[in-house]
Amino acid sequence: MTTIENSFMLGLDSNFYLKDDFESPEKRTNVTWFYPKICGFQDALRTEQEKAEYFSFLDRQTHPQRTNILLYFHIPFCEAFCNFCACFKESSAKYQGEQRVRFVKAMVKEIERNARSAYFQGTKIKYVQFGGGTPSALDQESMATIIQAVHREFDLSEVDGISLEGSPLGLSTDGYIEMLKSLGITRISFGVQTLNEEIRRKLTIKATVEQVYQTAENIRKAGIRTFALDLMYNLAGQTDEILASDIHGICAELRPSFVQTYRFNQWEGTRLDKQIRAGKVSDVLPSGSIERVQYRQIKESLADYGYDKQLLINFFTHLDETGPIGLDHACGGNGYRASYTLGIGPAAENYMGERSYRNHTNVDRWIKDVEDGIIPIEQGRICSEDEVENRVMVFFPVFGTVRKADVANLEKYRREINWMVDSGYAIETDEDITLTEVGRENAGNIAFLFYSDEEKARARRTMYLSLKNKRNPFHQDEMNIPRTPVFLQSKLATRPADSSTAPKAG
């Protein structure tokens, strides 16, 4: 197998039972947010018969009441593209007029199809999340139509909250935030990333710093229950001093309910990766060493500003009473079959029962399939019971702790647990397993300890095929991909042709 030199692949290829290797600066990888993973090359559902058989469970069985449901809506539009973002998106300017109407009608139709299936009859939704893309890129009427359909079709009588990701560009529209509040939105989040004007320009972030401050103030004035801001670290050009200024601006001046921190991911083959490699972005380049230093800086500084409660691995608050935050449901609810995710919209990822699947990463194809009565997905797999059990331990580093009673077949992981405890990464009691501070710093690496051998092999192959076929490894789509990575060109030129083909773009 070809070795790809990035932290994700280094994590898969490392012998993590060697402590020095585990804590190597260049081998700190991201936590796992979706598992078991889907691959556009390995999990394609190509015929309507395959899709019908795959989804027959929706009308054949009812949802297990002990399992919470997160409704996730992917609104794939942005007013402008940030060059660091690998999420699936299209320009909102491209989908105006009749195209916008068709999209909204398709969203409503998909809401109705799922909600009216036998599987969801009598099911109470636990949390609702709108992500993207940028949901606030939709006009008020379109967004209201979709949210109203959710209230009408699903049982939200016991919902813990409804959150929406936005941008200062859309949220600053007169009456937009007030409209969201009137329709039951309880939390709004948006990405600040950095307050440094030069770095924002190089990341092609269109919203101004002034708009960031005004939007935060407008959210407070509207009476939204809570709001969260995103902060990135290890960005090109982001010195420790700039990061300190970012933290001060967010915590002392913007003062959100929650701060969500994200490490910069330099996806191979993307435009930004090309610019960084060519030295066109900054003399201070992202690195594993800087990332570890800045992770520690963020934790210490957030605590100094009162954000000393770490709810999830990247989720901090100054509040004593936070209420449900919803993000825990996206990572399985921290228990065996504790939470499923139903995703609606282009590129939305789903985990329902043993089924892990993804909707079309093509807006036009997704709309047409919905209009034609075809289930609009492009990949899906049925997971083994072994993988279903593994989800709890793969995700537990996101939470920082797990109750032993919530882990199916705990002794299956005895070697890994003992190694974590002996190495100082975790503490085990009679009731739970909890990461230490050094364990939290290496949370992404710890997740890899609980990947099955099959899942590791699939991840390696996904990375290789994505780069070979000029696709972004994140979703195996064409987001920000202009070229074959330079370091891979010579290897591909001498490698025998692979029988796998890329997912069809249309």
Side-chain angles (χ1 to χ4, degrees), residues 20 83 96 167 173 182 217 273 311 343 398 427 443 464 470 501:
D20 289 343
N83 60 13
Q96 299 291 330
S167 160
T173 304
S182 71
E217 181 60 25
D273 171 59
L311 305 180
V398 172
I427 297 171
Y464 169 72
K470 299 182 182 180
T501 57

Side-chain angles (χ1 to χ4, degrees), residues 295 299 307-317 399 437 440:
Y295 170 83
K299 286 214 52 173
Y307 289 80
D308 54 352
K309 302 168 186 68
Q310 188 171 7
L311 305 180
L312 297 176
I313 192 64
N314 70 327
F315 208 74
F316 300 84
T317 186
F399 299 91
E437 281 304 312
R440 286 178 182 266

Side-chain angles (χ1 to χ4, degrees), residues 66 334-338 385-394 402-414 417 433 450:
R66 60 190 172 86
N334 207 18
Y336 176 69
R337 297 180 184 269
E385 176 61 21
D386 184 56
E387 296 292 2
V388 174
E389 291 178 351
N390 290 351
R391 291 186 85 231
V392 183
M393 296 306 292
V394 169
V402 64
R403 291 178 62 246
K404 294 162 76 171
D406 292 330
V407 181
N409 196 8
L410 180 70
E411 291 309 306
K412 169 182 172 182
Y413 312 104
R414 178 47 55 191
I417 293 170
I433 301 165
F450 301 99

